[in-house]
Amino acid sequence: MPDPIALIDCNNFYVSCERVFDQKLVGIPVVVLSNNDGCAVARSEEAKVLGIKMAQPLFQFRDKARDHGIRLLSSNYTLYGDMSRRVVDAIGQFSPVYEVYSIDETFVDLGGFGDRYLKQASEMRSTVRELTGIPTCVGIPSKTRIGNGLC
């Protein structure tokens, strides 16, 4: 069996970054808007439940945002880039072999851990959360399943 490769994915990354620095945003619906505040580029779980779609133009949900108290934030790509680097630094403590896939996703080689790879994946999630404040999920694909998931 090939060595397990994990995909660690930051949950609602832009919203999570904003929440690290503004705890008042935790538990309320939040939408991060694109450049020039044109459309939704990240949504909290609370905003998703209210029906806000990814890439939905603001003009289509402005009334809903007002009626439901959805916090609308302009994107801060400098912050998100810095937080992404911090997440990758935390992941690097678990394996010297990793590949940044996107600003919020990283593949991690968990070979060498044997049967302990799920424990390592769980510890990686905990460490990323502790060091950065960012919640994550880890998927570990296999031949017989789409993946073992830790969220």
Side-chain angles (χ1 to χ4, degrees):
M1 179 171 157
D3 289 337
I5 302 291
L7 174 63
I8 187 163
D9 184 9
C10 299
N11 300 341
N12 308 317
F13 184 60
Y14 295 171
V15 170
S16 293
C17 291
E18 298 287 350
R19 285 177 167 174
V20 166
F21 294 97
D22 186 352
Q23 293 293 302
K24 292 181 285 192
L25 298 174
V26 175
I28 66 168
V30 177
V31 174
V32 175
L33 300 167
S34 63
N35 291 340
N36 299 317
D37 296 340
C39 62
V41 294
R43 302 150 300 139
S44 67
E45 290 301 321
E46 299 86 357
K48 291 175 186 178
V49 167
L50 292 172
I52 308 302
K53 304 291 184 213
M54 187 63 159
Q56 185 175 6
L58 176 58
F59 75 86
Q60 290 181 355
F61 66 92
R62 189 181 306 276
D63 291 343
K64 184 180 284 190
R66 183 192 63 242
D67 295 345
H68 293 280
I70 299 172
R71 283 290 307 273
L72 302 174
L73 303 174
S74 296
S75 52
N76 182 344
Y77 297 110
T78 301
L79 170 66
Y80 311 146
D82 181 61
M83 292 300 289
S84 178
R85 180 194 51 77
R86 293 179 194 196
V87 168
V88 171
D89 287 349
I91 291 168
Q93 297 177 26
F94 290 85
S95 175
V97 182
Y98 58 85
E99 178 182 344
V100 175
Y101 183 66
S102 69
I103 195 165
D104 70 334
E105 297 173 303
T106 302
F107 289 103
V108 183
D109 183 346
L110 294 179
F113 292 107
D115 292 338
R116 298 173 300 135
Y117 72 91
L118 286 175
K119 182 176 185 292
Q120 285 302 115
S122 180
E123 288 180 19
M124 185 169 50
R125 287 186 65 239
S126 296
T127 299
V128 168
R129 183 69 179 252
E130 180 182 326
L131 295 178
T132 67
I134 302 295
T136 60
C137 289
V138 178
I140 304 172
S142 71
K143 277 184 133 178
T144 58
R145 300 173 74 181
I146 296 299
N148 297 317
L150 302 171
C151 285

